[in-house]
């Protein structure tokens, strides 16, 4: 079984001092939310072994804070990829399919609308399934999808099983 974890970057400032979207930074809420999601991943035994992070500042900062919550003895293979910035589902699926066999838990840190569209495409978003994704992936939202294969090249649209969805707002409302 392979596990894919999708994480949207945390809440950001509305505009970067440079005026470039890629340079937008996390705000205070975003930093707090990223830490909460990192703790949730650890608490739920969802620590990845491989991480692909968008090159955008907000994604890099989100991963840095999430990564601080992961146990120090965890072995992580982290790759920063410009291809994840504004990537669509097909581009992300192509990246996923290139993962080596020893990567069993893959975390992608990226952006909407691509991440949300990818989650919907991979899980098929069937209305009869007990767990459903929201209409949009919130900032610092997490989607966990399992695949009944040991080969990333076999992962495809409609083949994933939605295992978890959470967000900082849901964690707060649950008292976690």
């Amino acid at each position: 079984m392979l596990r894919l974890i999708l994480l949207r970057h945390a809440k950001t400032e509305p505009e970067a001092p440079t005026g470039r979207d890629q340079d937008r930074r996390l705000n205070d809420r975003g930093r707090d939310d990223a830490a909460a999601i990192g703790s949730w991943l650890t608490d739920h035994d969802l620590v990845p072994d491989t991480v692909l992070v968008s090159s955008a500042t907000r994604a890099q900062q989100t991963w840095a804070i999430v990564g601080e919550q992961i146990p120090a003895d965890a072995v992580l293979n982290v790759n920063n990829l410009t291809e994840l910035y504004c990537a669509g589902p097909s581009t992300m699926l192509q990246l996923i399919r290139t993962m080596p066999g020893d990567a069993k838990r893959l975390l992608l840190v990226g952006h909407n609308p691509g991440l949300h569209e990818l989650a919907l495409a991979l899980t098929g978003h069937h209305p009869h399934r007990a767990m459903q994704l929201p209409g949009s992936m919130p900032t610092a939202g997490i989607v966990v999808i399992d695949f009944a294969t040991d080969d990333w090249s076999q992962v495809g649209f409609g083949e994933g099983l939605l295992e978890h969805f959470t967000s900082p707002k849901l964690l707060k409302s649950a008292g976690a």
Side-chain angles (χ1 to χ4, degrees):
M1 181 190 82
L2 297 175
R3 178 160 274 173
L4 175 65
I5 305 165
L6 304 176
L7 169 60
R8 183 179 175 200
H9 65 79
K11 191 76 173 164
T12 65
E13 61 190 356
E15 191 173 307
T18 63
R20 289 177 18 128
D21 180 66
Q22 280 192 317
D23 297 338
R24 288 174 42 216
R25 302 168 297 198
L26 298 185
N27 62 21
D28 290 341
R29 179 181 139 200
R31 287 187 286 280
D32 291 344
D33 288 351
I37 287 297
S39 293
W40 184 87
L41 283 171
T42 300
D43 292 347
H44 287 82
D45 193 28
L46 292 169
V47 174
D49 51 46
T50 304
V51 183
L52 303 179
V53 186
S54 163
S55 59
T57 300
R58 59 193 178 272
Q60 295 286 314
Q61 289 178 327
T62 299
W63 167 245
I65 294 168
V66 168
E68 289 172 359
Q69 308 305 312
I70 292 176
D73 62 347
V75 178
L76 300 174
N77 178 17
V78 180
N79 295 287
N80 300 311
L81 301 174
T82 57
E83 300 94 329
L84 282 177
Y85 177 69
C86 294
S90 294
T91 298
M92 286 186 274
L93 180 59
Q94 287 174 350
L95 291 169
I96 291 165
R97 286 182 171 165
T98 66
M99 291 296 102
D102 61 344
K104 300 299 181 193
R105 289 184 177 177
L106 172 62
L107 170 65
L108 264 68
V109 184
H111 313 271
N112 264 2
L115 275 182
H116 186 252
E117 292 169 354
L118 177 64
L120 292 174
L122 290 173
T123 61
H125 197 61
H126 297 292
H128 65 277
R129 290 195 174 149
M131 185 180 302
Q132 293 292 305
L133 290 170
S136 180
M137 187 179 244
T139 54
I142 286 270
V143 173
V144 180
I145 303 168
D146 287 344
F147 297 93
T149 181
D150 288 323
D151 183 350
W152 286 108
S153 70
Q154 300 303 310
V155 168
F157 294 142
E159 296 175 6
L161 178 63
L162 178 63
E163 286 295 323
H164 298 284
F165 165 76
T166 198
S167 67
K169 183 178 181 179
L170 290 173
L171 294 178
K172 288 174 188 163
S173 68

